[in-house]
Amino acid sequence: MKISVILGTRPEIIKMAPLLKILEAKRADFFTLHTGQHYSYQLDTVFFEQMALPRPKYNLEAGSGSHAEETARMLTGIEKILLDEKPNIVLVEGDTNSVMAGALAAVKLGIKVGHVEAGLRSYDRNMPEEINRVITDHIADYLFAPTPKAKQILLGEGISKEKTYVTGNTIVDAIGQYLEPARRKIDISSQFKLKPQKYFLSTLHRQENTDNKERFTSILEGLSEVAEKYRLPVVYPIHPRSRKIMESLGRKTNNLKIIEPVDFFSFLQLESHARLILTDSGGVQEEACILGIPCVTLRDNTERPETLDIGANILAGAAVESILTSTEIMLDRKTDWVHPFGDGHAAERIFNIIAEAENG
Ligand code: UD1
Ligand code: UDP
């Protein structure tokens, strides 16, 4: 069985890391195809280096531009490589353009597709990620749902139960493997001049927030007022997309401690010691929940409703008042929830499922 892992962005590299490690350990016949959707050192190479991951055999350098341009470059490049390499199965993770392009190119060539983190839905078709999720799930041969809820969503959409497996989320595996090394290597007080529990952590990069001037400005104002009210810094490792737009808005952000995007170990440490996290990231909502840190989600919906159900997360949207109220509510919450994302053996489970099915 020959496997192609197709990935392209920061969260895919991090969440595929445990699977890449297993493929390496089992001496599986595999190669990584990087679409190049993310290419800046801090969004890409730093993760391969820090987690000592096998390097991609191919990089299409297909990143940036409009959705159609980027996706078209990916589809053309991926197809050529798949025709040449002839893998039996393509594995993709998550909901980015790279995921959808990898799955679509493969399925049209009659190559099987395994979708890691299948069955997530925000039911908001204005999000490019929702379109990518729906398409990928409906063309995949193996659907690795992180939770029973995600599996139910897939079954509800008519996807056959024979294709659908509840595996847990590979981010639990990644945290299990890298939290200790992160603790040993990163000290937030010397590296970031921060004291445990004495800061808020924020990330904000979603298209529906950054590309809408009113929403983006309102969220930045909300973060600024949170910093002022609690007299604690809001640390914001800023995604290049948001940096660009913030600069074009010319808005002052004196109350926010804006820093460059950080490596995974540093981010895990920043998360672990934060008083609370405010984010629009999918992955960061999960990590906050797993690490026991209260989360305020700067969106109107989430495809991770399990975090809301157990009280680990709250939806604040973009309004200043709501960000302040939600922060207050979450600061009062008990943090004794049990996270719903699995036991840290998702990658192993995924490998075993495909090995058994493909090798017989
Ligand atoms: C993408 C995903 C999003 C995911 C995020 C993870 C899609 C539709 N969006 O959003 O779901 O949450 O990755 O971080 O797939 N840029 C750089 N350096 C880079 C990459 C991007 O400077 O390495 C800048 C470019 O100006 C680019 C912009 O960021 O135009 C947006 O990049 P893009 O990959 O299109 O989307 P993300 O916002 O990163
Ligand atoms: N992350 C990181 N450095 C940062 C910000 C985030 O390593 O400065 C990691 C974070 O730990 C998580 C992932 O990036 O694993 C989330 O990616 P992102 O928010 O870009 O994408 P999303 O999950 O929203 O698709």
Side-chain angles (χ1 to χ4, degrees):
M1 172 182 56
K2 185 170 179 177
I3 300 169
S4 172
V5 172
I6 300 184
L7 48 72
T9 68
R10 167 168 75 186
E12 294 158 67
I13 302 166
I14 292 170
K15 285 179 167 171
M16 276 302 204
L19 201 46
L20 289 169
K21 289 285 188 192
I22 285 193
L23 293 172
E24 217 179 19
K26 303 267 186 194
R27 297 177 189 274
D29 182 10
F30 80 102
F31 67 95
T32 306
L33 192 174
H34 194 318
T35 64
Q37 180 170 347
H38 282 178
Y39 45 83
S40 300
Y41 176 78
Q42 296 121 305
L43 293 191
D44 174 22
T45 311
V46 66
F47 302 110
F48 287 95
E49 288 176 359
Q50 188 167 61
M51 293 185 268
L53 301 177
R55 294 305 169 104
K57 183 168 177 186
Y58 302 95
N59 191 319
L60 299 175
E61 296 181 8
S64 296
S66 74
H67 281 270
E69 287 165 349
E70 185 182 70
T71 311
R73 281 195 298 270
M74 290 177 191
L75 280 169
T76 319
I78 293 168
E79 184 180 65
K80 276 201 191 95
I81 293 166
L82 295 183
L83 279 169
D84 197 34
E85 290 273 1
K86 300 185 177 49
N88 305 90
I89 180 163
V90 158
L91 294 178
V92 290
E93 189 285 330
D95 56 17
T96 67
N97 288 348
S98 297
V99 172
M100 195 266 284
L104 192 54
V107 76
K108 292 282 184 90
L109 294 174
I111 298 168
K112 288 193 178 153
V113 173
H115 187 204
V116 179
E117 207 178 51
L120 273 61
R121 294 290 181 272
S122 65
Y123 300 106
D124 177 358
R125 293 267 171 122
N126 292 316
M127 293 177 68
E129 292 86 359
E130 182 74 355
I131 308 294
N132 294 337
R133 289 179 199 120
V134 171
I135 293 175
T136 306
D137 282 342
H138 282 263
I139 58 181
D141 299 279
Y142 297 94
L143 294 104
F144 303 114
T147 62
K149 192 166 205 144
K151 177 174 176 169
Q152 283 314 312
I153 287 174
L154 294 168
L155 301 184
E157 291 181 9
I159 291 171
S160 106
K161 94 169 178 276
E162 281 69 41
K163 291 186 186 176
T164 309
Y165 306 85
V166 178
T167 58
N169 194 311
T170 56
I171 196 60
V172 183
D173 310 24
I175 291 179
Q177 288 161 31
Y178 298 111
L179 190 59
E180 253 325 294
R183 280 190 184 131
R184 285 197 301 273
K185 291 204 172 118
I186 310 291
D187 170 24
I188 57 155
S189 61
S190 62
Q191 268 137 302
F192 297 99
K193 310 273 171 276
L194 293 166
K195 292 200 183 89
Q197 297 293 309
K198 298 285 182 209
Y199 65 93
F200 297 110
L201 178 67
S202 186
T203 74
L204 185 62
H205 73 280
R206 288 277 172 178
Q207 182 180 307
E208 70 266 25
N209 282 332
T210 59
D211 293 21
N212 176 327
K213 192 174 166 186
E214 283 73 44
R215 273 187 86 88
F216 196 34
T217 311
S218 175
I219 294 175
L220 291 174
E221 182 58 33
L223 294 177
S224 189
E225 292 203 14
V226 165
E228 207 162 295
K229 177 171 170 189
Y230 295 97
R231 295 181 182 279
L232 291 176
V234 173
V235 182
Y236 176 11
I238 194 166
H239 189 290
R241 163 187 219 109
S242 319
R243 158 96 62 197
K244 243 192 196 167
I245 296 170
M246 194 183 277
E247 280 166 4
S248 77
L249 292 177
R251 197 181 171 282
K252 283 213 176 71
T253 48
N254 293 344
N255 274 343
L256 308 183
K257 185 176 159 70
I258 294 181
I259 60 175
E260 287 302 304
V262 297
D263 58 86
F264 187 46
F265 288 8
S266 294
F267 197 73
L268 279 178
Q269 281 292 81
L270 285 172
E271 286 180 305
S272 305
H273 294 293
R275 180 73 190 82
L276 173 140
I277 297 175
L278 302 110
T279 190
D280 64 0
S281 158
V284 177
Q285 289 173 65
E286 290 160 358
E287 289 171 0
C289 177
I290 294 161
L291 294 167
I293 310 298
C295 185
V296 172
T297 291
L298 304 163
R299 288 174 44 189
D300 302 322
N301 53 54
T302 179
E303 55 293 314
R304 276 93 176 165
E306 298 89 343
T307 59
L308 303 177
D309 297 344
I310 59 170
N313 190 10
I314 192 168
L315 291 176
V320 174
E321 259 324 298
S322 168
I323 293 171
L324 282 165
T325 319
S326 303
T327 301
E328 201 177 318
I329 293 171
M330 289 310 293
L331 284 172
D332 281 344
R333 280 268 164 92
K334 275 207 178 128
T335 56
D336 55 357
W337 57 75
V338 177
H339 79 75
F341 295 115
D343 61 1
H345 296 284
E348 199 181 319
R349 228 167 254 129
I350 291 166
F351 176 80
N352 289 341
I353 291 164
I354 53 176
E356 197 170 305
E358 295 296 313
N359 295 331

